Amino acid sequence: MSNNFPTPDRVLVIVAHPDDPEFGAAGTSALWASQGAEVTYVIVTDGSKGSAEKEMTREKLVALREEEQRKAADAVGVSQLVFLGLPDGEIENNDVLRELLVRQIRTFKPDVLVTHDPTSRIVGGRYLNHRDHRTVGDASLDATFPLARDRLNYPQHELEGLDPHKVLDVFLIFSDQPNYTVDISSTIDLKIKALSAHKSQIANLEELPERIRQRGRDAAEHVSFEYGETFRRVQLNR
Ligand SMILES: [Zn+2]
């Protein structure tokens, strides 16, 4: 585990739901953005199932969660925010999704791709990883390799001016096999601010700051800094 990672030029965060970028990687996104990286978020689903409120409708929830996600992305200095709008809880790793994700990779040309760890079924012995998380992680990794890299996949992209692209590094969130910790001591407050934007998703908002700080301290337990964010990192350029 270490943290002398050079700032990437471009970072693409592909996640299942509004609020996944914040829980998984807001501190790291804020850090890289503050160092000049262009950070793009792609939210695959519309988040339309994430409410237990009796009065809530899918339409209201989708609009509310988009608004929350915009505020959260602004808090950490994200450059672009893309909503693919697929139905929450119903996505499959199929050709439609893979083509959409290859298109994002070829459009935003990231050095670093951040997505879900598709192999994490149970995380930390404490929670069951959402099927959408595993599906988005799986499809994003398929899109990264080999689909986005090799020009004969989705040849229509080339005709539209989208060239093949090779991702150098993958950071997987919500992993039960983390192998890398980023020092987010300088951006923990921005992570808290970003998470606080997701009011519809967070019970006990007043307890959120301490909860996030404790998680950050736990993540940095075996390293020398105060607050960390952990990832399963896969270096593809070796
Ligand atoms: Zn999620």
PDB file of all heavy atoms in Angstrom, residues 16-20 116 130 133 174, ligand 1:
ATOM      1  N   ALA A  16     -22.753   2.381 -10.595  1.00  0.00           N
ATOM      2  CA  ALA A  16     -24.137   1.973 -10.822  1.00  0.00           C
ATOM      3  C   ALA A  16     -25.140   3.062 -10.468  1.00  0.00           C
ATOM      4  O   ALA A  16     -26.088   3.308 -11.221  1.00  0.00           O
ATOM      5  CB  ALA A  16     -24.440   0.702 -10.029  1.00  0.00           C
ATOM      6  N   HIS A  17     -24.982   3.696  -9.308  1.00  0.00           N
ATOM      7  CA  HIS A  17     -26.030   4.575  -8.761  1.00  0.00           C
ATOM      8  C   HIS A  17     -25.480   5.938  -8.367  1.00  0.00           C
ATOM      9  O   HIS A  17     -24.308   6.048  -7.999  1.00  0.00           O
ATOM     10  CB  HIS A  17     -26.626   3.936  -7.491  1.00  0.00           C
ATOM     11  CG  HIS A  17     -27.039   2.510  -7.652  1.00  0.00           C
ATOM     12  ND1 HIS A  17     -26.398   1.477  -7.019  1.00  0.00           N
ATOM     13  CD2 HIS A  17     -28.032   1.957  -8.407  1.00  0.00           C
ATOM     14  CE1 HIS A  17     -26.981   0.327  -7.363  1.00  0.00           C
ATOM     15  NE2 HIS A  17     -27.961   0.592  -8.204  1.00  0.00           N
ATOM     16  N   PRO A  18     -26.369   6.948  -8.334  1.00  0.00           N
ATOM     17  CA  PRO A  18     -26.008   8.181  -7.645  1.00  0.00           C
ATOM     18  C   PRO A  18     -25.618   7.807  -6.207  1.00  0.00           C
ATOM     19  O   PRO A  18     -26.277   6.948  -5.622  1.00  0.00           O
ATOM     20  CB  PRO A  18     -27.302   9.003  -7.641  1.00  0.00           C
ATOM     21  CG  PRO A  18     -28.137   8.429  -8.745  1.00  0.00           C
ATOM     22  CD  PRO A  18     -27.768   6.976  -8.836  1.00  0.00           C
ATOM     23  N   ASP A  19     -24.625   8.367  -5.691  1.00  0.00           N
ATOM     24  CA  ASP A  19     -23.983   8.205  -4.369  1.00  0.00           C
ATOM     25  C   ASP A  19     -22.870   7.167  -4.331  1.00  0.00           C
ATOM     26  O   ASP A  19     -22.031   7.194  -3.437  1.00  0.00           O
ATOM     27  CB  ASP A  19     -24.975   8.027  -3.193  1.00  0.00           C
ATOM     28  CG  ASP A  19     -25.471   6.597  -2.938  1.00  0.00           C
ATOM     29  OD1 ASP A  19     -24.917   5.633  -3.470  1.00  0.00           O
ATOM     30  OD2 ASP A  19     -26.442   6.486  -2.168  1.00  0.00           O
ATOM     31  N   ASP A  20     -22.785   6.254  -5.318  1.00  0.00           N
ATOM     32  CA  ASP A  20     -21.668   5.304  -5.348  1.00  0.00           C
ATOM     33  C   ASP A  20     -20.313   6.008  -5.507  1.00  0.00           C
ATOM     34  O   ASP A  20     -19.340   5.601  -4.856  1.00  0.00           O
ATOM     35  CB  ASP A  20     -21.831   4.280  -6.485  1.00  0.00           C
ATOM     36  CG  ASP A  20     -22.971   3.294  -6.244  1.00  0.00           C
ATOM     37  OD1 ASP A  20     -23.317   3.062  -5.070  1.00  0.00           O
ATOM     38  OD2 ASP A  20     -23.504   2.757  -7.238  1.00  0.00           O
ATOM     39  N   HIS A 116     -16.686  -0.515  -9.939  1.00  0.00           N
ATOM     40  CA  HIS A 116     -16.947  -1.498  -8.880  1.00  0.00           C
ATOM     41  C   HIS A 116     -16.107  -2.759  -9.087  1.00  0.00           C
ATOM     42  O   HIS A 116     -15.809  -3.127 -10.223  1.00  0.00           O
ATOM     43  CB  HIS A 116     -18.420  -1.900  -8.906  1.00  0.00           C
ATOM     44  CG  HIS A 116     -19.386  -0.776  -8.691  1.00  0.00           C
ATOM     45  ND1 HIS A 116     -19.726  -0.326  -7.441  1.00  0.00           N
ATOM     46  CD2 HIS A 116     -20.068   0.002  -9.568  1.00  0.00           C
ATOM     47  CE1 HIS A 116     -20.604   0.665  -7.556  1.00  0.00           C
ATOM     48  NE2 HIS A 116     -20.822   0.897  -8.833  1.00  0.00           N
ATOM     49  N   HIS A 130     -24.497  -5.042  -4.042  1.00  0.00           N
ATOM     50  CA  HIS A 130     -25.648  -4.893  -4.942  1.00  0.00           C
ATOM     51  C   HIS A 130     -25.351  -5.508  -6.311  1.00  0.00           C
ATOM     52  O   HIS A 130     -24.252  -5.348  -6.837  1.00  0.00           O
ATOM     53  CB  HIS A 130     -25.926  -3.389  -5.090  1.00  0.00           C
ATOM     54  CG  HIS A 130     -27.275  -3.043  -5.634  1.00  0.00           C
ATOM     55  ND1 HIS A 130     -27.691  -3.402  -6.892  1.00  0.00           N
ATOM     56  CD2 HIS A 130     -28.299  -2.358  -5.076  1.00  0.00           C
ATOM     57  CE1 HIS A 130     -28.910  -2.925  -7.096  1.00  0.00           C
ATOM     58  NE2 HIS A 130     -29.302  -2.297  -6.005  1.00  0.00           N
ATOM     59  N   HIS A 133     -23.984  -3.160  -8.832  1.00  0.00           N
ATOM     60  CA  HIS A 133     -22.551  -2.856  -8.657  1.00  0.00           C
ATOM     61  C   HIS A 133     -21.707  -3.906  -9.383  1.00  0.00           C
ATOM     62  O   HIS A 133     -20.770  -3.571 -10.110  1.00  0.00           O
ATOM     63  CB  HIS A 133     -22.157  -2.865  -7.176  1.00  0.00           C
ATOM     64  CG  HIS A 133     -22.807  -1.800  -6.355  1.00  0.00           C
ATOM     65  ND1 HIS A 133     -22.611  -1.696  -5.002  1.00  0.00           N
ATOM     66  CD2 HIS A 133     -23.645  -0.788  -6.689  1.00  0.00           C
ATOM     67  CE1 HIS A 133     -23.305  -0.665  -4.529  1.00  0.00           C
ATOM     68  NE2 HIS A 133     -23.943  -0.099  -5.537  1.00  0.00           N
ATOM     69  N   PHE A 174     -15.471  -0.675  -3.338  1.00  0.00           N
ATOM     70  CA  PHE A 174     -16.286  -1.659  -2.604  1.00  0.00           C
ATOM     71  C   PHE A 174     -15.705  -3.065  -2.777  1.00  0.00           C
ATOM     72  O   PHE A 174     -16.437  -4.028  -3.011  1.00  0.00           O
ATOM     73  CB  PHE A 174     -17.752  -1.629  -3.059  1.00  0.00           C
ATOM     74  CG  PHE A 174     -18.417  -0.283  -3.038  1.00  0.00           C
ATOM     75  CD1 PHE A 174     -19.472   0.017  -3.906  1.00  0.00           C
ATOM     76  CD2 PHE A 174     -18.007   0.706  -2.150  1.00  0.00           C
ATOM     77  CE1 PHE A 174     -20.098   1.261  -3.886  1.00  0.00           C
ATOM     78  CE2 PHE A 174     -18.636   1.958  -2.129  1.00  0.00           C
ATOM     79  CZ  PHE A 174     -19.671   2.229  -3.002  1.00  0.00           C
TER      80      PHE A 174
HETATM   81 ZN    ZN B   1     -25.000   1.667  -5.417  1.00  0.00          ZN
END
